Amino acid sequence: MSQDLEAKYIAFVEKVAATKQVWGLKSKTGWANADATDNAEVAVIPFWSERSLAKLGARDDWKNYTPTEIPLAIFLEDLCMDMAENDVLTGIEWDTKMFGTEADALIVAL
């Protein structure tokens, strides 16, 4: 992981620990997701530490998705566990070009 991505990842963890909330993009069909960079057969669901950052991701293919607040306990105990069971990665603080950290959901939860 590059130093910039690592710094964004650490900032994400610190921010969500302080605010007790995570943000994702959700539509009627579920959470926004994309293929993993290294494996198109693996899905990644992106998450952000702030609503404003999630809102920046709601464009192009995700323009019909809405920034949705997730309480930290639900994110850790439900979403991350479910994602780990289904081999889905977490995308952390992706930018508008869908670039950012892709991490195992269990690692993020721990």
Side-chain angles (χ1 to χ4, degrees):
M1 184 181 321
S2 76
Q3 287 183 334
D4 183 48
L5 289 179
E6 186 173 351
K8 282 185 176 182
Y9 180 82
I10 291 168
F12 170 85
V13 171
E14 291 172 349
K15 178 84 175 193
V16 301
T19 64
K20 306 284 190 243
Q21 63 185 14
V22 177
W23 291 87
L25 291 175
K26 197 169 189 181
S27 74
K28 295 175 187 175
T29 60
W31 296 104
N33 64 82
D35 295 338
T37 302
D38 295 334
N39 185 347
E41 294 181 19
V42 175
V44 182
I45 299 176
F47 297 99
W48 295 268
S49 60
E50 298 177 28
R51 182 185 190 283
S52 61
L53 296 174
K55 190 173 182 178
L56 292 173
R59 52 185 288 197
D60 300 327
D61 290 345
W62 296 343
K63 66 184 174 201
N64 295 321
Y65 287 76
T66 304
T68 303
E69 180 181 352
I70 309 159
L72 184 57
I74 300 296
F75 175 73
L76 297 174
E77 296 168 13
D78 295 339
L79 277 174
C80 284
M81 295 302 121
D82 187 50
M83 290 170 63
E85 288 176 11
N86 291 293
D87 296 320
V88 175
L89 300 176
T90 55
I92 304 298
E93 301 285 44
W94 281 9
D95 62 20
T96 57
K97 296 178 183 171
M98 297 175 49
F99 179 75
T101 300
E102 295 177 4
D104 183 285
L106 279 182
I107 299 298
V108 173
L110 298 176

